[in-house]
Amino acid sequence: MASVNKVILIGHLGKDPEVRHLEGGNSVANFTMATNEYYKDKQGNRVERTEWHTVAAWRGLAELAEKYLRKGQQVYVEGRIRTRQYQDKDNQTRYVTEIIAEEISLLSNRPATDSAQPVVAAETPTTFRQEPELDQLPF
Amino acid sequence: MASVNKVILIGHLGKDPEVRHLEGGNSVANFTMATNEYYKDKQGNRVERTEWHTVAAWRGLAELAEKYLRKGQQVYVEGRIRTRQYQDKDNQTRYVTEIIAEEISLLSNRPATDSAQPVVAAETPTTFRQEPELDQLPF
Amino acid sequence: MASVNKVILIGHLGKDPEVRHLEGGNSVANFTMATNEYYKDKQGNRVERTEWHTVAAWRGLAELAEKYLRKGQQVYVEGRIRTRQYQDKDNQTRYVTEIIAEEISLLSNRPATDSAQPVVAAETPTTFRQEPELDQLPF
Amino acid sequence: MASVNKVILIGHLGKDPEVRHLEGGNSVANFTMATNEYYKDKQGNRVERTEWHTVAAWRGLAELAEKYLRKGQQVYVEGRIRTRQYQDKDNQTRYVTEIIAEEISLLSNRPATDSAQPVVAAETPTTFRQEPELDQLPF
DNA sequence: TTTT
DNA sequence: TTTT
């Protein structure tokens, strides 16, 4: 029977997306997002913990991410968890967990202070969805 | 800026889907789903409350709902809330709130006792997504 | 077996919360939230549709809503769908669907232009959860 | 402003939960869950990919997980992503990503074939929530 | 590396 | 009745 693997994040981009164009014609944009948790320590002091998420946007979403996302923006990301394994330089198996984005929405328009111009014009679309891939079609 | 309107339901179908074919070529399947809440009343007794949800699946999803969903099945539905208004027979404005399905997954294969044959063959797809409509494309 | 009834909304408040104090000591805050959908009509024009959601926050969340939420703010609301029935003035049964809030987060600090002072100080908490009720405890 | 870090999984347990009792009185249950994706490869063949998720349930949820969860059961898990770093035996920094469970619901009652008796009696609660911790209280 |  |  079916399963569900869904992630919903709201946070700020830690850096501008980095886009790579792969052999075979695919492209992927990677960026990081911060979410914050707060708790009180044993002395009752407010403590903040930042969780950093690595997001990967493929194909059409990669291009939209490259065009519209900038460091510091507040975004909503919906996607799924994927853990890849690879061999490190010592030939040991390592794992990296990423969020594969399926939908990205802009929640704020404010770019990072070191980004020059306003990112998004007023009439710009603010929700982007991954076009359905073969692997999302019923079969 | 963007907004989000998302519903996630897991429950059992209250009846087989009813499909209507609209003028203009569109079709829509309607069914109901029950979710349950439990609480303790003031005497400490366990009380169960059933919430009934009306789900509408359009176009391609309507056909899949008609084909694969049966009363009693446990399903996962992801969608959005939509409230429509209409005039009742006394010409008063009334409102009805529905869940517009965007994804439906089968979590159990058990049909209602009054449904004759097994609903889903082993090799049947168990997750269905609405094909993207014009209103889901970035523009 | 268990069921799930979950709603996630991101949108702007249509009005300040209205708080009622019920006999029995309970309080409830009601407010509306807008979410927007876009689609292209048959002529290819961009059309916007606004969906209005009625949110109810009970007890502790009611007080936090009253204190921190204002018309125009962008908020994240997580909750569940509840449809109540009541008798209208002609003694006919009517239904109203609400979102019972379980978590509310402030995504923007900007109050409506007609709200006088800044709503939230820098050090203000920005995520509020409903304290667990009897009906949320395992039993 | 606030952020959101939410994960929703539906899948089957890969093994019985393993519970550790930590110094300081805390306990944690770890288990794995599988979710499946399907896609068609370039030859048009149906391919299945299994994603394995590591779930950690703390304190009260750990005890409930130990008592009610078994290999093979279908569960709904709601939680948040957490990546921890640690030093491996070669003193290199490594990362591991887990889902910290906040709610667990039983969707099926079927234990793994190698588990002896039925896991859950008919009247057993089937939804478990983490009791709110200090770090979940508004402050 | 974000944000308040 | 919100927002861009």
Side-chain angles (χ1 to χ4, degrees), chain D residues 117-133:
Chain D
Q117 61 277 72
V119 180
V120 182
E123 72 282 10
T124 300
T126 52
T127 294
F128 311 110
R129 289 193 183 80
Q130 183 60 281
E131 71 272 38
E133 309 298 329

Side-chain angles (χ1 to χ4, degrees), chain C residues 32 50 52 110:
Chain C
T32 54
T50 298
W52 285 100
R110 190 161 55 92

Side-chain angles (χ1 to χ4, degrees), chain B residues 3-4 6 8-10 35-40 46 49 51 82-83 92-94 135 139, chain C residues 3-4 6-10 35-40 46 49 51 82-83 92-94 135 139:
Chain B
S3 60
V4 171
K6 181 165 287 289
I8 288 173
L9 301 176
I10 299 175
T35 58
N36 302 295
E37 301 171 31
Y38 301 91
Y39 59 94
K40 287 184 178 172
R46 185 197 212 205
R49 181 182 183 280
E51 182 76 36
R82 175 166 291 188
T83 298
Q92 300 218 324
T93 302
R94 296 210 173 215
D135 69 1
F139 61 97
Chain C
S3 59
V4 171
K6 182 165 288 288
V7 175
I8 288 173
L9 301 176
I10 298 174
T35 58
N36 301 294
E37 301 171 31
Y38 301 91
Y39 60 94
K40 286 186 178 171
R46 185 198 213 204
R49 182 182 183 281
E51 183 75 36
R82 174 167 292 187
T83 298
Q92 300 219 324
T93 301
R94 294 207 174 218
D135 69 1
F139 60 96

Side-chain angles (χ1 to χ4, degrees), chain B residues 22-80:
Chain B
L22 310 179
E23 69 277 25
N26 276 338
S27 56
V28 58
N30 282 279
F31 58 90
T32 55
M33 275 177 73
T35 58
N36 302 295
E37 301 171 31
Y38 301 91
Y39 59 94
K40 287 184 178 172
D41 64 17
K42 294 179 179 157
Q43 290 76 41
N45 301 313
R46 185 197 212 205
V47 183
E48 179 175 2
R49 181 182 183 280
T50 298
E51 182 76 36
W52 284 99
H53 308 268
T54 301
V55 180
W58 288 82
R59 290 172 287 268
L61 261 191
E63 293 162 32
L64 294 163
E66 184 174 31
K67 190 167 179 185
Y68 294 117
L69 300 190
R70 291 295 178 275
K71 178 181 175 181
Q73 274 178 321
Q74 186 184 35
V75 297
Y76 167 92
V77 170
E78 192 177 321
R80 60 186 196 276

Side-chain angles (χ1 to χ4, degrees), chain C residues 96-107:
Chain C
V96 57
T97 298
E98 298 172 321
I99 309 307
I100 309 298
E102 292 170 352
E103 181 172 327
I104 301 178
S105 291
L106 309 186
L107 297 181

Side-chain angles (χ1 to χ4, degrees), chain C residues 16-121:
Chain C
D16 289 359
E18 290 176 3
V19 182
R20 286 175 300 137
H21 298 274
L22 309 180
E23 69 276 24
N26 276 339
S27 56
V28 59
N30 281 280
F31 58 91
T32 54
M33 275 178 74
T35 58
N36 301 294
E37 301 171 31
Y38 301 91
Y39 60 94
K40 286 186 178 171
D41 64 17
K42 293 178 178 158
Q43 291 75 41
N45 301 313
R46 185 198 213 204
V47 183
E48 178 175 2
R49 182 182 183 281
T50 298
E51 183 75 36
W52 285 100
H53 308 269
T54 302
V55 181
W58 287 83
R59 292 173 285 268
L61 260 191
E63 293 162 34
L64 294 163
E66 184 174 32
K67 190 167 180 185
Y68 293 117
L69 300 191
R70 291 293 177 276
K71 178 181 176 179
Q73 276 179 320
Q74 187 184 34
V75 297
Y76 168 92
V77 170
E78 192 176 320
R80 62 185 194 275
I81 299 173
R82 174 167 292 187
T83 298
R84 291 183 294 112
Q85 57 175 259
Y86 64 96
Q87 307 304 118
D88 72 5
K89 58 188 184 318
D90 301 327
N91 212 32
Q92 300 219 324
T93 301
R94 294 207 174 218
Y95 300 87
V96 57
T97 298
E98 298 172 321
I99 309 307
I100 309 298
E102 292 170 352
E103 181 172 327
I104 301 178
S105 291
L106 309 186
L107 297 181
S108 80
N109 203 358
R110 190 161 55 92
T113 52
D114 60 338
S115 287
Q117 61 277 70
V119 179
V120 183

Side-chain angles (χ1 to χ4, degrees), chain D residues 69-104:
Chain D
L69 300 190
R70 290 294 177 278
K71 178 181 176 181
Q73 274 179 320
Q74 186 184 34
V75 296
Y76 168 92
V77 169
E78 193 177 321
R80 59 185 195 275
I81 299 173
R82 175 167 291 188
T83 298
R84 292 183 293 111
Q85 58 174 261
Y86 63 97
Q87 305 304 117
D88 71 5
K89 58 188 184 317
D90 302 326
N91 212 32
Q92 300 219 325
T93 301
R94 295 210 173 215
Y95 300 88
V96 58
T97 298
E98 298 172 321
I99 309 306
I100 309 298
E102 292 169 353
E103 181 172 327
I104 301 177

